Amino acid sequence: MGNYYQEEIECAAPEKIKELQDERLVAQVKHVWSNVPFYRKKMEEAGISPEDIKGRDDLHKLPFITKADLRDNYPDKLVAVPLSECVRIQSTSGTTGKRVVAYYTQEDIDLWEDCCARAIVAAGGSKEDVCQVSYGYGLFTGGPGLNGGSHKVGCLTVPTSSGNTDRQIMFIKDLKTTILCCTPSYAAYIGETMKESGMKPEDIPLKAGIFGAEAWSEEMRRNIQNTLGIKAYDIYGLTELSGPGVSFECSEQAGMHVNEDHFIAEVVDPETGEPLPDGEKGELIFTSITKKAFPLIRYRTRDICILSHEKCSCGRTHVKMTKPLGRTDDMLIIRGVNVFPSQIETVLLKNGYQANYQIIIDRVNNTDTLDVHVEMTPDMFTDNVGEISRRQNELVSALRSMLGLKANVTLVAPKSIIRSEGKAVRVIDNRKI
Ligand code: DLL
């Protein structure tokens, strides 16, 4: 059993959750039908009206909404309340096309912060803790979301935002930070910097980390836990739905509980759109049932994962999702082979490297090339050409057996791959396809 922020709902009986979802879904569908012409049109095209939706079991009748729909309705055509009711926007870091702008009423923010507070409490947080929020602040949802959650829990909140790593470490030490919130790649970097300056995990009071916003492997979790001397918890979310806190890990550290009183999760076959049962891998779809300003009905996240309703030892009853196992759109197709960057990371970490790497894809003479640049750790760093070549070959063969594909591996000196203070850019696809 663990600690809860809102025990009554976090541990509610499944029938109770279904009842709540039924009621909230019906109201949400009416809300968008009445206030967002886009939704009304989509539903009319699909031949359904709000009366056809009596609860969660009718969800599959509703059409999906995609990121392209959000871009087409940029910036505020999907907003379901008067703009005078909105108090904030957040926006995606999108590198292609138009950004997605998400609008919030004060109540939307309040509920979002509750979700983040649940994640902090699940990681062992209470008002006795000092919570350092090293996610970026501003348009990105990471900083503002965890900041709000930390306030709600009553932690002493340290809003450092990302960057200035020496100062991060100084504050962790001087302010006695016990909970660190940032991307897993930044946590690994903070750990690496600490180690270099001769600090040991016992020199700092950190006990937990809440890391998300990008994919990270179990190997990376172990490394971070060891270098920082903490328990590292995963947190998931996306701007379109609010931000961090759509789901979060509990003491089991195995899958993330979806905040089902606010979001209905489904997994569908990405090709056919057909809902899939528990245990099957597919695209994650979310319906936000409490958001007023920017409600999304059956939003295609493009994240691939698996849902499970199995009983959890933490006492929470909300459905669990696996870590995203990839995205329907970050899957690389290299010489016809499907490759997820996370598979490459797993091989590197298993072979003793850190998550400091870049995957470069190109097309030479009509053939795809896959180059993996990875840093040697300070321990393995050498200028012995034979040793470097032995290590490179070892990785080439490990990658071949994981991916079924030949990759060119280049070992580079420690610290030569640019560090990220937010989400790491690890894949560079130079193909003009
Ligand atoms: O990354 C929100 C967030 C902030 C989550 C801080 C957790 C912590 P976006 O920038 O809109 O929002 O990116 C959303 O990031 O669809 C996933 O593909 C990916 N993502 C988010 N959390 C995780 C995670 C924030 N824990 C997109 N593991 C999502 C893997 C994640 N991928």
Side-chain angles (χ1 to χ4, degrees):
M1 284 293 161
N3 301 320
Y4 315 105
Y5 178 66
Q6 290 166 319
E7 179 169 357
E8 200 179 326
I9 186 65
E10 290 181 69
C11 302
E15 313 78 68
K16 178 92 194 300
I17 294 171
K18 171 148 193 325
E19 217 172 275
L20 194 65
Q21 288 189 333
D22 286 347
E23 189 186 301
R24 289 182 172 177
L25 177 66
V26 168
Q28 190 71 301
V29 169
K30 284 194 183 130
H31 176 54
V32 298
W33 168 274
S34 313
N35 297 303
V36 185
F38 169 86
Y39 276 112
R40 182 186 286 235
K41 185 159 171 276
K42 269 211 136 180
M43 285 171 63
E44 278 169 356
E45 281 166 6
I48 47 170
S49 64
E51 293 69 53
D52 297 319
I53 307 302
K54 304 209 162 42
R56 193 172 76 182
D57 296 340
D58 295 322
L59 194 57
H60 68 279
K61 297 180 184 165
L62 290 158
F64 293 117
I65 179 167
T66 65
K67 194 149 191 153
D69 292 324
L70 304 193
R71 290 212 186 98
D72 293 346
N73 287 286
Y74 174 89
D76 59 6
K77 288 207 274 295
L78 294 175
V79 175
V81 297
L83 282 182
S84 57
E85 297 298 309
C86 298
V87 297
R88 168 107 63 87
I89 66 115
Q90 301 286 163
S91 179
T92 57
S93 48
T95 45
T96 49
K98 286 216 174 92
R99 282 175 168 267
V100 170
V101 181
Y103 290 72
Y104 304 72
T105 63
Q106 184 55 51
E107 192 196 351
D108 292 337
I109 289 185
D110 216 39
L111 300 181
W112 170 31
E113 292 178 350
D114 282 345
C115 290
C116 291
R118 289 180 193 174
I120 293 171
V121 173
S126 74
K127 67 190 288 294
E128 308 303 328
D129 282 291
V130 178
C131 179
Q132 189 159 321
V133 183
S134 313
Y135 284 110
Y137 281 65
L139 290 173
F140 180 57
T141 53
L146 269 309
N147 191 96
S150 172
H151 273 236
K152 287 222 170 191
V153 175
C155 300
L156 173 61
T157 308
V158 185
T160 46
S161 193
S162 60
N164 204 335
T165 308
D166 290 338
R167 190 180 62 192
Q168 300 279 1
I169 296 170
M170 181 189 84
F171 275 154
I172 291 174
K173 211 163 173 245
D174 296 350
L175 304 181
K176 304 191 176 46
T177 300
T178 48
I179 300 177
L180 176 66
C181 306
C182 61
T183 58
S185 50
Y186 196 43
Y189 182 46
I190 291 176
E192 178 185 273
T193 310
M194 261 179 46
K195 203 167 165 188
E196 273 169 16
S197 66
M199 283 169 77
K200 295 197 187 62
E202 335 41 294
D203 299 335
I204 50 165
L206 270 190
K207 64 175 191 192
I210 303 178
F211 307 133
E214 62 181 0
W216 52 312
S217 55
E218 283 304 320
E219 287 82 0
M220 192 161 169
R221 187 205 303 261
R222 275 195 288 278
N223 285 352
I224 295 173
Q225 294 195 144
N226 290 339
T227 44
L228 292 176
I230 60 171
K231 278 197 142 214
Y233 298 89
D234 204 352
I235 182 166
Y236 169 89
L238 51 162
T239 314
E240 294 91 317
L241 290 172
S242 59
V246 170
S247 64
F248 60 92
E249 265 184 356
C250 60
S251 49
E252 274 205 352
Q253 291 180 294
M256 295 179 272
H257 290 282
V258 174
N259 282 308
E260 285 195 280
D261 48 334
H262 301 301
F263 307 101
I264 303 180
E266 299 170 87
V267 162
V268 304
D269 179 324
E271 300 291 324
T272 64
E274 283 308 308
L276 295 173
D278 266 24
E280 284 197 32
K281 190 153 96 175
E283 181 177 351
L284 188 58
I285 310 291
F286 278 112
T287 298
S288 48
I289 48 176
T290 49
K291 270 197 94 174
K292 287 288 182 307
F294 196 68
L296 293 184
I297 307 285
R298 299 199 89 203
Y299 181 61
R300 296 192 74 141
T301 63
R302 300 194 281 189
D303 290 318
I304 305 280
C305 82
I306 300 169
L307 293 179
S308 161
H309 283 86
E310 263 171 44
K311 202 165 183 254
C312 184
S313 66
C314 78
R316 288 178 187 77
T317 46
H318 294 203
V319 65
K320 273 163 104 172
M321 56 178 267
T322 56
K323 278 175 178 297
L325 306 167
R327 283 177 62 84
T328 53
D329 59 355
D330 94 340
M331 187 177 73
L332 303 161
I333 303 184
I334 302 170
R335 281 176 254 146
V337 179
N338 297 347
V339 175
F340 286 103
S342 55
Q343 295 174 295
I344 296 180
E345 184 181 290
T346 300
V347 169
L348 299 179
L349 285 134
K350 275 204 172 125
N351 281 273
Y353 298 82
Q354 301 283 325
N356 297 317
Y357 64 92
Q358 259 177 346
I359 300 168
I360 302 147
I361 303 135
D362 213 334
R363 182 162 284 185
V364 180
N365 298 331
N366 293 317
T367 306
D368 292 337
T369 58
L370 167 61
D371 285 273
V372 179
H373 291 186
V374 55
E375 278 185 15
M376 285 178 274
T377 63
D379 298 348
M380 61 172 78
F381 185 47
T382 167
D383 52 10
N384 177 333
V385 182
E387 173 59 10
I388 294 179
S389 147
R390 188 195 64 76
R391 283 191 164 275
Q392 286 180 168
N393 290 338
E394 191 179 58
L395 276 184
V396 170
S397 97
L399 285 168
R400 190 198 293 273
S401 67
M402 169 69 100
L403 309 172
L405 194 70
K406 164 123 195 321
N408 305 310
V409 173
T410 310
L411 293 183
V412 298
K415 296 252 142 196
S416 55
I417 288 176
I418 190 155
R419 293 294 187 272
S420 142
E421 291 171 351
K423 299 194 193 208
V425 178
R426 295 204 169 108
V427 179
I428 300 167
D429 195 340
N430 291 321
R431 295 173 296 185
K432 310 264 178 303
I433 302 176

